[in-house]
């Protein structure tokens, strides 16, 4: 009798798994690599694998999540159309003639993402958390009208409380302060932690909050962006979140190496627009209406040209990844990449492999320690393959490397929130600055070279000498790479 019950249960599980697998293949319409990875999960972890799929695998419906009528008031659409026409006709007036070499990339972002090209910006680069947050708090203290602040991770630890004290002081002065955080990235937070701040007049919203206590069933599709806009005049974008580990105070990670940009100039218009779109999506009662105060006249504070490019699973195309690919395709001399996770899809892997095989100086820097072990071993397997193509691989030894940066030929670069993995390309909401400026790009390249001195270069011989255990970890992680 026991054998019969066991046989029936086994058959039932097998049949259910077949139906679940069929639904995945025929209804979801995923790319082949992702489909096979999920099929492995479903068949090797019956039933339980389906619940994992419900948490991690469901696709986001392609609907317009971000709406704001203020875009029409600013005239962004007409400016985008005007820039596209002039670039297509070859009549666009580039402040720096070298930027014209990247006109195809600029046109791609205009058409693919509506990313306006702004010129005359000033960029300050921060690669140390203490310096970045000291500057941010100083800018907060000088705010006169509004502060818009958005982070994937916001911890109410020593650093978070220091920022909240500065924000509370501005609220009491009558400055409008809005704080947006991601529910999964900041899962230790809830609005009850901000009662005093909200009572004083501050506003707090959560991106994709859970309707269930203690657990958020939507583990994917998180808002990974980090944006600050102060008075529409000063902005921040990059990789740092808010937490003590980003100051190097976590023993597990040690020194935290990241890259963040402080912006002044017309790039604040698209950065402000991005924040407002995200805020209004998350807001239940406090939507931001258009007001000229959010888009003040911008003085010519610098000479840097840039585009603020965003991407997310609600879009048809993978805009930031497409920009990465275009940068790789136009490189003539070198490509420097810093990323905590190097798990490229087939298109990115082929592009960077072909660049290396073509004699372009490709250098990729990754951390020497994992914050997510499976992701790290998948990364290691891919950089090992890149060695065979002629790329140089550097393992950063001075703490944890969290920078998301690409620099090409001392002329163009990108810094932001998007890692080189499927999660950033397809699943998360990300934002990057694409920069067309020799001075900024050289400064970023110099920082990369300084980091090389704090790194171990991984040779092909060293990679081939890895232990059988590491090879096994790589193989398993590589199979699951499309869904990590």
């Amino acid at each position: 009798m026991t054998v019969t019950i066991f046989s029936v249960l086994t058959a039932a599980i097998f049949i259910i798994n077949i139906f679940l697998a069929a639904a995945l293949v025929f209804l979801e319409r995923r790319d082949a690599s992702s489909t096979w990875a999920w099929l492995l999960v479903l068949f090797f972890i019956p039933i339980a694998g389906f619940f994992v799929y419900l948490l991690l695998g469901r696709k986001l419906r392609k609907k317009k999540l971000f709406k704001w009528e203020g875009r029409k008031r600013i005239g962004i659409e007409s400016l985008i159309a005007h820039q596209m026409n002039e670039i297509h006709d070859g009549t666009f007036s580039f402040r720096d003639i070298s930027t014209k070499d990247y006109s195809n990339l600029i046109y791609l972002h205009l058409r693919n993402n509506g990313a306006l090209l702004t010129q005359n910006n000033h960029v300050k680069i921060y690669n140390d958390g203490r310096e970045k947050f000291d500057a941010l708090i100083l800018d907060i203290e000088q705010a006169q009208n509004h502060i818009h602040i958005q982070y994937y991770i916001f911890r109410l630890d020593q650093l978070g409380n220091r920022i909240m004290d500065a924000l509370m002081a501005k609220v009491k002065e009558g400055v409008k302060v809005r704080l947006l955080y991601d529910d999964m990235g900041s899962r230790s937070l809830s609005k009850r932690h901000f009662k005093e701040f909200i009572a004083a007049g501050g506003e707090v919203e959560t991106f994709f909050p859970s309707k269930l206590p203690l657990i958020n069933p939507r583990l994917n599709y998180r808002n990974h962006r980090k944006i600050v806009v102060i008075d529409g005049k000063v902005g921040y974008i990059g990789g740092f979140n808010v937490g003590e580990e980003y100051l190097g105070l976590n023993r597990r990670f040690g020194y935290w190496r990241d890259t963040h940009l402080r912006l002044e100039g017309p790039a604040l218009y698209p950065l402000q627009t991005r924040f407002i779109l995200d805020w209004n999506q998350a807001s239940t009662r406090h939507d931001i209406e258009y007001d000229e105060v959010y888009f003040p006249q911008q003085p010519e504070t610098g000479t840097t040209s840039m585009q603020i490019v965003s991407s997310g699973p609600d879009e048809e195309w993978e805009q930031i990844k497409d920009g990465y690919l275009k940068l790789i395709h136009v490189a003539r001399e070198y490509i420097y990449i810093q990323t905590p996770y190097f798990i490229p899809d087939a298109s990115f892997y082929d592009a960077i492999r072909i660049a290396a095989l073509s004699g372009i100086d490709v250098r990729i820097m990754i951390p020497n320690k994992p914050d997510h072990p499976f992701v790290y071993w998948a990364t290691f397997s891919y950089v090992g393959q890149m060695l065979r193509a002629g790329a140089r691989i550097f393992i950063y030894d001075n703490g944890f490397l969290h920078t998301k940066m690409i620099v090409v030929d001392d002329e163009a670069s990108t810094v932001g929130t998007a890692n080189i993995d499927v999660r950033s390309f397809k699943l998360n909401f990300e934002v990057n600055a694409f920069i067309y400026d020799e001075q900024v790009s050289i400064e970023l390249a110099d920082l990369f070279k300084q980091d090389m001195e704090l790194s171990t270069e991984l040779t092909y011989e060293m990679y081939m000498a890895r232990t059988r255990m590491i090879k096994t970890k790589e193989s398993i992680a590589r199979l699951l790479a499309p869904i990590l």
Side-chain angles (χ1 to χ4, degrees), residues 294-310:
Y294 299 130
F295 301 92
Q297 188 72 28
Q298 297 289 348
E300 293 191 10
T301 57
T303 60
T304 299
S305 299
M306 69 169 58
Q307 291 173 289
I308 303 298
V309 180
S310 55

Side-chain angles (χ1 to χ4, degrees), residues 13-49:
I13 290 172
F14 180 73
I15 292 170
I16 291 171
N17 248 30
I18 289 177
F19 278 106
L20 295 177
L24 174 63
V25 172
F26 295 108
L27 297 180
E28 288 286 336
R29 299 283 183 176
R30 296 173 175 274
D31 62 86
S33 60
S34 179
T35 297
W36 279 112
W38 278 116
L39 287 175
L40 284 171
V41 172
L42 289 173
F43 279 105
F44 281 98
I45 318 175
I47 305 301

Side-chain angles (χ1 to χ4, degrees), residues 440-466:
V440 173
S441 297
I442 289 176
E443 186 174 350
L444 289 169
D446 287 344
L447 288 173
F448 184 97
K449 293 173 184 175
Q450 292 173 24
D451 290 334
M452 284 172 52
E453 298 177 2
L454 302 171
S455 303
T456 298
E457 183 167 2
L458 179 68
T459 65
Y460 187 67
E461 291 72 24
M462 292 166 61
Y463 178 73
M464 293 305 295
R466 66 201 190 283

Side-chain angles (χ1 to χ4, degrees), residues 76-241:
I76 287 181
E77 282 83 359
S78 60
L79 285 172
I80 290 169
H82 181 71
Q83 286 191 353
M84 286 178 62
N85 289 334
E86 288 198 337
I87 290 174
H88 186 268
D89 295 339
T91 59
F92 187 85
S93 179
F94 292 101
R95 180 184 178 101
D96 186 343
I97 192 63
S98 65
T99 304
K100 190 174 183 179
D101 294 338
Y102 297 89
S103 58
N104 287 342
L105 173 57
I106 294 167
Y107 187 92
L108 169 71
H109 286 319
L110 283 164
R111 182 174 180 177
N112 201 23
N113 191 234
L116 193 69
L117 176 69
T118 61
Q119 305 184 92
N120 306 318
N121 297 289
H122 180 268
V123 177
K124 169 70 175 176
I125 301 170
Y126 290 100
N127 65 332
D128 177 84
R130 294 180 184 275
E131 294 179 2
K132 180 260 176 173
F133 286 108
D134 284 347
L136 173 61
I137 291 172
L138 180 61
D139 283 328
I140 288 173
E141 292 171 346
Q142 295 176 353
Q144 299 295 316
N145 182 268
H146 65 274
I147 300 169
H148 292 160
I149 184 166
Q150 171 182 355
Y151 283 96
Y152 172 66
I153 296 173
F154 196 102
R155 304 193 198 283
L156 288 178
D157 52 16
Q158 178 183 345
L159 175 61
N161 286 323
R162 183 182 168 204
I163 291 174
M164 288 307 303
D165 288 344
L167 295 176
M168 177 66 85
K170 300 312 293 186
V171 168
K172 292 179 178 179
E173 292 177 14
V175 173
K176 191 65 176 178
V177 180
R178 297 179 174 95
L179 170 63
L180 173 63
Y181 64 87
D182 183 84
D183 188 62
M184 181 57 61
S186 307
R187 51 189 171 272
S188 63
L189 288 185
S190 68
K191 287 190 178 181
R192 64 183 173 82
H193 291 103
F194 300 97
K195 284 184 178 179
E196 184 180 354
F197 176 72
I198 294 172
E203 294 181 4
V204 178
E205 294 292 352
T206 310
F207 189 86
F208 279 1
S210 174
K211 295 179 181 179
L212 302 174
L214 302 179
I215 184 171
N216 192 324
R218 197 179 333 218
L219 296 181
N220 285 331
Y221 312 125
R222 308 315 313 180
N223 196 321
H224 196 234
R225 296 167 183 148
K226 296 94 176 167
I227 295 172
V228 177
V229 179
I230 299 172
D231 291 342
K233 298 177 180 178
V234 174
Y236 287 82
I237 182 175
F240 283 107
N241 287 293

